[in-house]
């Protein structure tokens, strides 16, 4: 599934992956975890049980798991589909970068909470962008010379 397919599938809907918390289970983290499963194929343990999103940046164990699958990139060089984490506030925030609009000078993200999944502007401090590491390509074997007869 592509990022665009993911947006079409979930736009305007609430998603819940972990049924937490019981009083409002539709958190930003649920959308990110679903994106990791459906689009970028990152193992569940990378995001599993992360109730405080900013721990993905600041907790050494959770950060090591992020670093295993993601490279942190400059926020200026973000590409559509990059996972973005904000470390501000009590819990932080997580969303998926969609695009930058030079006319209004805003970045737009696919996000959830408090609204259903949608593309929205998020202006929060302490922003970190992560891009999934490129898949390693198998090295091609050297061509074998063949005698011409």
């Amino acid at each position: 599934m592509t990022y665009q397919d993911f947006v079409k599938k979930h736009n305007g809907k609430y998603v819940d992956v972990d049924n937490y918390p019981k009083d409002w289970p539709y958190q930003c983290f649920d959308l990110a975890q679903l994106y990791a499963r459906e689009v970028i194929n990152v193992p569940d343990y990378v995001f599993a049980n992360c109730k405080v999103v900013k721990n993905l940046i600041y907790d050494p164990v959770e950060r090591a798991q992020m670093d295993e699958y993601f490279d942190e990139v400059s926020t200026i060089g973000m590409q559509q589909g990059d996972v973005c984490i904000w470390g501000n506030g009590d819990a932080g925030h997580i969303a998926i970068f969609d695009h930058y609009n030079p006319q209004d000078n805003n970045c737009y993200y696919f996000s959830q909470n408090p609204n259903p999944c949608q593309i929205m502007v998020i202006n929060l401090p302490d922003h970190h962008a992560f891009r999934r590491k490129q898949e390693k390509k198998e090295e091609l074997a050297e061509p074998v010379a063949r005698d011409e007869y």
Side-chain angles (χ1 to χ4, degrees), residues 38-78:
E38 293 184 358
V39 180
I40 58 177
N41 299 315
V42 173
D44 276 347
Y45 77 82
V46 176
F47 290 110
N49 301 316
C50 176
K51 305 299 184 236
V52 178
V53 172
K54 68 182 182 181
N55 284 349
L56 294 170
I57 302 168
Y58 301 119
D59 179 89
V61 173
E62 291 187 31
R63 177 60 189 247
Q65 292 171 350
M66 282 290 292
D67 289 343
E68 186 178 347
Y69 289 92
F70 294 88
D71 288 325
E72 189 165 5
V73 297
S74 165
T75 55
I76 295 170
M78 293 185 300

Side-chain angles (χ1 to χ4, degrees), residues 74-130:
S74 165
T75 55
I76 295 170
M78 293 185 300
Q79 296 177 3
Q80 188 176 66
D82 286 350
V83 175
C84 298
I85 300 169
W86 290 262
N88 61 303
D90 291 337
H93 188 70
I94 189 168
I96 304 128
F97 179 73
D98 189 80
H99 71 281
Y100 168 73
N101 183 343
Q103 283 132 356
D104 65 7
N105 197 32
N106 280 312
C107 289
Y108 288 78
Y109 303 86
F110 192 52
S111 187
Q112 169 177 263
N113 189 5
N115 304 314
C117 300
Q118 61 185 283
I119 295 173
M120 63 178 77
V121 174
I122 301 173
N123 289 317
L124 295 172
D126 200 16
H127 180 247
H128 298 257
F130 293 90

Side-chain angles (χ1 to χ4, degrees), residues 10-33:
H10 298 291
N11 193 37
K13 300 175 183 172
Y14 288 103
V15 297
D16 178 28
V17 174
D18 58 5
N19 198 28
Y20 179 86
K22 297 285 186 193
D23 59 337
W24 185 254
Y26 312 110
Q27 302 298 315
C28 60
F29 175 76
D30 291 297
L31 182 65
Q33 190 167 8

